Amino acid sequence: MPYHGKAFTVIDGDFMMTDVKTDTLLAPGPPFGDLEKNWGWLLAFGLFSIILGSIGLGMTFMLTELVVVFFAALLIVGGVCQILDAFKCHGWKSTIWPVLIALLYIGVGVYMTTAAARTACAEQASKAPAQAGRTGTVCRLVQHTGSIHH
């Protein structure tokens, strides 16, 4: 029940009369918001997550490769941004350390990308020849560039 009335408050040692309205206070709502209205969307999201998770369990190798390549791309983009930032800030005493760290990021990112591609090619080559033929050109290219460095 809302209360409208007067209350005493003390400001700087002086008693003052102020108006009090308790109807501006909100009563606590349900803990999960409007779940009764939107339960269908939550159910659909749960079923969609179960389906995608089941598909993911069937292809763990390729999802692992995808995560490695994604992380490598983040390293490469981060390294490029750090190089650009290092040359932009001329007021620093030294830009050599940020540039070296950025080059390390880029190098690790490129290595991870090529290593993931070589691993994927080796996995494809171990499968049936019909499946390996689809990615044969890309795999030969990756293996050729990998043999240059070794």
Side-chain angles (χ1 to χ4, degrees):
M1 174 183 275
Y3 171 76
H4 298 283
K6 303 281 185 186
F8 286 105
T9 56
V10 178
I11 298 176
D12 294 329
D14 294 332
F15 287 98
M16 302 185 87
M17 183 74 73
T18 58
D19 290 330
V20 176
K21 294 180 182 179
T22 60
D23 61 342
T24 58
L25 300 175
L26 298 175
F32 298 112
D34 293 332
L35 188 60
E36 294 86 18
K37 294 179 188 175
N38 301 320
W39 67 270
W41 287 104
L42 188 61
L43 178 66
F45 178 70
L47 292 174
F48 185 66
S49 297
I50 289 172
I51 291 168
L52 285 182
S54 299
I55 292 170
L57 285 175
M59 50 189 294
T60 55
F61 177 77
M62 289 307 292
L63 288 177
T64 302
E65 294 296 319
L66 179 72
V67 169
V68 169
V69 170
F70 179 73
F71 185 70
L74 289 177
L75 282 173
I76 292 169
V77 169
V80 169
C81 290
Q82 188 166 349
I83 284 179
L84 294 175
D85 192 50
F87 288 123
K88 185 177 72 173
C89 300
H90 296 290
W92 289 359
K93 294 180 182 177
S94 172
T95 58
I96 191 71
W97 285 111
V99 170
L100 288 176
I101 291 172
L103 290 174
L104 178 68
Y105 284 176
I106 293 170
V108 169
V110 169
Y111 175 76
M112 286 174 64
T113 303
T114 57
R118 280 193 299 261
T119 306
C121 288
E123 195 264 337
Q124 283 292 327
S126 68
K127 290 186 175 185
Q131 287 180 336
R134 281 185 254 150
T135 56
T137 306
V138 175
C139 289
R140 282 191 293 275
L141 179 65
V142 169
Q143 289 169 349
H144 175 68
T145 57
S147 64
I148 292 173
H149 299 291
H150 295 296

